[in-house]
Amino acid sequence: MLAIVNSIALQGLEGVIVKVEVDVSNGLPGLDLVGLPDAAVRESKERVRAAIKNSGFEFPVKRITVNLAPADIRKEGPVYDLPIAIGILAASEQIDVNKCIEYIFMGELSLDGAIRLVNGSLPAALAAKEQSYTKMVVPASNAGEAALVQGVEVFPASDLTQLVSDLKNRDEMKPQQVDVNKLLSDSAKPIQDFADVKGQLAAKRALEIAAAGGHNVFMIGTPGSGKTMLARRLPGILPDLTFEEAVEATKVHSLAGQLQPNQALITRRPFRSPHHSASAASLIGGGRIPRPGEVSLAHHGVLFMDEILEFRKDVLESLRQPLEDGIVSITRVQSSLTYPARIMLVASANPCPCGYYGDKTKECSCTPNQIQRYLRRLSGPLLDRIDMHIEISRVEFNELENDKPGESSASIKERVENARYIQRQRFSNNIAVACNAQMPASLVRKHCNASQEARSLLRSAFKQLNLSARSHDKILKVARTIADLAGKFKTIEAQHMAEALQYRNLESELFG
């Protein structure tokens, strides 16, 4: 008998419906699996055989042929264990095939019949909805994330015995329910607070501007000046994730297997901090079986590259496309995948190999040539894509001994959210732009209207600092954010432009 069960294959974040065709016929006993399976799918034969027997069902002692169609798409991972097992049970008439045909199944089977969690349940549910499927069976640990998709009923399954019983009594099956508002409320309080940071008022102000406009930041300063401490507190002043942003971030983490068991939603803005030994594939994504990299895992959050000058040159240069386009394109012979990468890049570095160039109290031991070679590891085109350059100075003893707490992340976040509200109103007709940093050139010309005095300042700086056209637009975007924080919604004044220009000084002072 022939039985057909639905499953799904993920190509990046896109899904393709897979028909698991199972034929049980007389002949030499055996199980043949065809349809371009990888090693993990081929191994499912033994897992399925043991799971069916240990769940109290009969494994047919017949010739079994399983075809995963379409046959020209490579099938990867253990997600096909469950649909193959259901297909065998249906083809051997142990369950009614008509009760399975409207569902999409995905899940890994253990030898005792338990259904284990798999990667990619959320993007799979979104793909199912796009292709007009309304019912889906997933492992119980994945049910929360898949149930976020409105219009798809998601049924949790903990083991094969329970699932077959539910399919026989479908009226008693209850879909998973998720309280989205409760999930999002978990992100209210920041883990690390700016109140803990002593001194560094100028740096805090710069990071507030960066958070308000979504701008990339480069911090340079001596060891121990607080660069990492400041960066780790940045997510606490960023606006809360919207539901749409949370779903997008969760899709990437689900595909990469980064969600915790029973975690339904990413509720805090991601903060990723790769080590400087990271490869280009781990940062951008790729591999033999392409997977999202750190840039995509930081989608709608912060990618912090501590000691950025210690990263390999090819790794740094691979950041150009995601910083410019907000996406990562991975091309292989058989396919081309695209992952989202709308990030805030926060980079930090020492000013020289020894770390003390320009320090007021400790003498630098590096030669001018060593300093220039070290700084030029960060190329001009990449530096040009970073909106704000901040010099972090050493914290004085009196500031460290001061018991008065600094301004809290909550109060800074309130000002940031007010500025972001202005920006949402400004870009309400353009859903692709969420903040000032994402404005294309056409919107820069439309929304970054500057006074005559502010224009004069920008004109002088453009000539003196030898700025590029990209730097010109970056300065206008930062000035627009500063004006938003000041409550000036229409015109950029001279003081806003002057503050924005000071965040490009390091480009000429240190990097020539």
Side-chain angles (χ1 to χ4, degrees):
M1 180 179 175
L2 174 67
I4 300 176
V5 176
N6 298 312
S7 188
I8 200 159
L10 289 174
Q11 295 181 303
L13 293 175
E14 304 300 321
V16 178
I17 297 297
V18 172
K19 299 290 184 180
V20 180
E21 302 171 346
V22 181
D23 179 69
V24 176
S25 58
N26 295 325
L28 191 66
L31 175 57
D32 294 323
L33 191 60
V34 297
L36 209 59
D38 72 349
V41 180
R42 288 195 295 270
E43 290 172 354
S44 68
K45 295 189 291 185
E46 303 307 322
R47 292 193 296 271
V48 168
R49 189 193 309 273
I52 288 176
K53 288 182 176 180
N54 292 329
S55 297
F57 302 107
E58 179 185 350
F59 189 86
V61 188
K62 294 185 176 183
R63 181 174 179 78
I64 304 172
T65 304
V66 179
N67 178 42
L68 306 176
D72 59 340
I73 295 176
R74 188 164 185 81
K75 318 304 185 304
E76 300 167 347
V79 297
Y80 304 103
D81 289 7
L82 183 59
I84 290 172
I86 294 296
I88 291 173
L89 293 175
S92 58
E93 300 182 337
Q94 297 180 64
I95 56 175
D96 186 356
V97 67
N98 293 320
K99 294 185 176 182
C100 309
I101 197 167
E102 59 185 321
Y103 296 91
I104 287 179
F105 296 89
M106 60 187 302
E108 177 185 350
L109 287 173
S110 63
L111 299 185
D112 62 355
I115 302 174
R116 294 174 171 167
L117 81 166
V118 292
N119 298 338
S121 293
L122 177 56
L126 288 165
K129 180 181 179 180
E130 289 176 1
Q131 300 183 55
S132 301
Y133 285 84
T134 59
K135 294 184 179 181
M136 192 171 183
V137 175
V138 300
S141 299
N142 293 116
E145 58 175 289
L148 294 170
V149 181
Q150 299 295 317
V152 176
E153 290 183 307
V154 175
F155 300 94
S158 56
D159 60 69
L160 192 58
T161 304
Q162 168 253 318
L163 175 58
V164 171
S165 175
D166 288 344
L167 288 173
K168 289 178 178 179
N169 304 282
R170 289 190 301 172
D171 294 339
E172 299 178 8
M173 293 179 69
K174 294 182 179 180
Q176 180 81 12
Q177 301 294 327
V178 175
D179 187 345
V180 174
N181 293 328
K182 184 177 183 301
L183 290 174
L184 290 175
S185 67
D186 293 341
S187 63
K189 189 175 180 181
I191 299 174
Q192 300 187 63
D193 202 296
F194 265 101
D196 303 329
V197 181
K198 303 290 186 181
Q200 302 294 8
L201 296 180
K204 289 180 185 177
R205 166 65 178 171
L207 291 180
E208 178 182 338
I209 295 168
H215 302 290
N216 300 321
V217 176
F218 176 55
M219 297 185 289
I220 190 164
T222 55
S225 56
K227 302 185 293 295
T228 303
M229 187 178 189
L230 287 163
R232 291 192 179 280
R233 281 155 178 76
L234 181 59
I237 64 173
L238 290 172
D240 293 334
L241 285 168
T242 64
F243 176 67
E244 292 75 15
E245 290 175 336
V247 168
E248 287 184 23
T250 306
K251 280 170 59 179
V252 180
H253 282 73
S254 174
L255 184 63
Q258 295 286 320
L259 292 180
Q260 300 297 319
N262 298 310
Q263 181 182 8
L265 191 67
I266 297 291
T267 57
R268 297 178 183 272
R269 291 197 178 268
F271 182 89
R272 306 293 299 188
S273 181
H275 191 262
H276 65 258
S277 62
S279 65
S282 66
L283 187 69
I284 299 300
R288 186 181 62 83
I289 301 174
R291 288 288 182 267
E294 292 290 334
V295 172
S296 295
L297 291 169
H299 183 53
H300 290 313
V302 176
L303 177 68
F304 177 47
M305 298 184 71
D306 198 8
E307 300 301 337
I308 190 172
L309 300 180
E310 300 295 336
F311 284 78
R312 294 203 325 258
K313 184 80 171 178
D314 64 310
V315 175
L316 294 180
E317 294 307 307
S318 66
L319 287 171
R320 290 194 196 184
Q321 186 206 11
L323 290 181
E324 195 73 19
D325 302 331
I327 59 171
V328 169
S329 298
I330 300 172
T331 304
R332 294 291 182 268
V333 174
Q334 295 181 341
S335 64
S336 179
L337 306 177
T338 299
Y339 296 119
R342 188 67 73 182
I343 63 169
M344 272 186 67
L345 174 66
V346 179
S348 72
N350 293 328
C352 66
C354 79
Y356 294 99
Y357 175 61
D359 189 70
K360 297 177 181 178
T361 59
K362 192 165 182 178
E363 186 177 354
C364 174
S365 61
C366 305
T367 66
N369 285 337
Q370 287 176 323
I371 295 171
Q372 285 303 311
R373 280 199 303 270
Y374 185 71
L375 292 175
R376 284 173 181 167
R377 293 181 184 179
L378 192 64
S379 69
L382 182 57
L383 185 65
D384 209 28
R385 286 168 167 81
I386 301 178
D387 308 43
M388 303 174 64
H389 311 151
I390 311 168
E391 188 170 10
I392 309 293
S393 57
R394 181 190 291 269
V395 182
E396 300 295 336
F397 180 80
N398 292 337
E399 293 174 322
L400 291 173
E401 288 295 300
N402 188 353
D403 293 333
K404 184 179 178 181
E407 187 177 17
S408 69
S409 292
S411 60
I412 299 173
K413 181 178 179 178
E414 186 176 348
R415 295 195 296 271
V416 168
E417 288 186 327
N418 288 337
R420 285 290 184 105
Y421 175 76
I422 295 167
Q423 293 165 48
R424 285 195 299 272
Q425 298 298 109
R426 178 180 296 138
F427 307 127
S428 59
N429 295 327
N430 194 323
I431 59 173
V433 179
C435 57
N436 288 336
Q438 298 173 10
M439 282 191 288
S442 59
L443 292 183
V444 171
R445 290 191 296 270
K446 180 179 179 181
H447 296 296
C448 295
N449 301 313
S451 67
Q452 191 63 36
E453 189 180 357
R455 285 285 176 188
S456 179
L457 277 173
L458 180 57
R459 185 180 299 109
S460 299
F462 190 83
K463 293 178 181 178
Q464 292 176 16
L465 301 179
N466 194 25
L467 299 175
S468 67
R470 183 185 286 112
S471 296
H472 171 274
D473 285 1
K474 295 280 188 190
I475 291 169
L476 282 173
K477 292 175 187 179
V478 173
R480 177 70 274 167
T481 300
I482 295 170
D484 290 343
L485 284 168
K488 304 293 183 180
F489 312 143
K490 294 185 178 180
T491 305
I492 298 171
E493 304 294 344
Q495 64 267 31
H496 309 142
M497 187 67 72
E499 186 175 2
L501 286 169
Q502 77 177 10
Y503 298 122
R504 304 297 295 199
N505 282 344
L506 286 177
E507 192 168 359
S508 59
E509 290 179 8
L510 290 179
F511 293 86

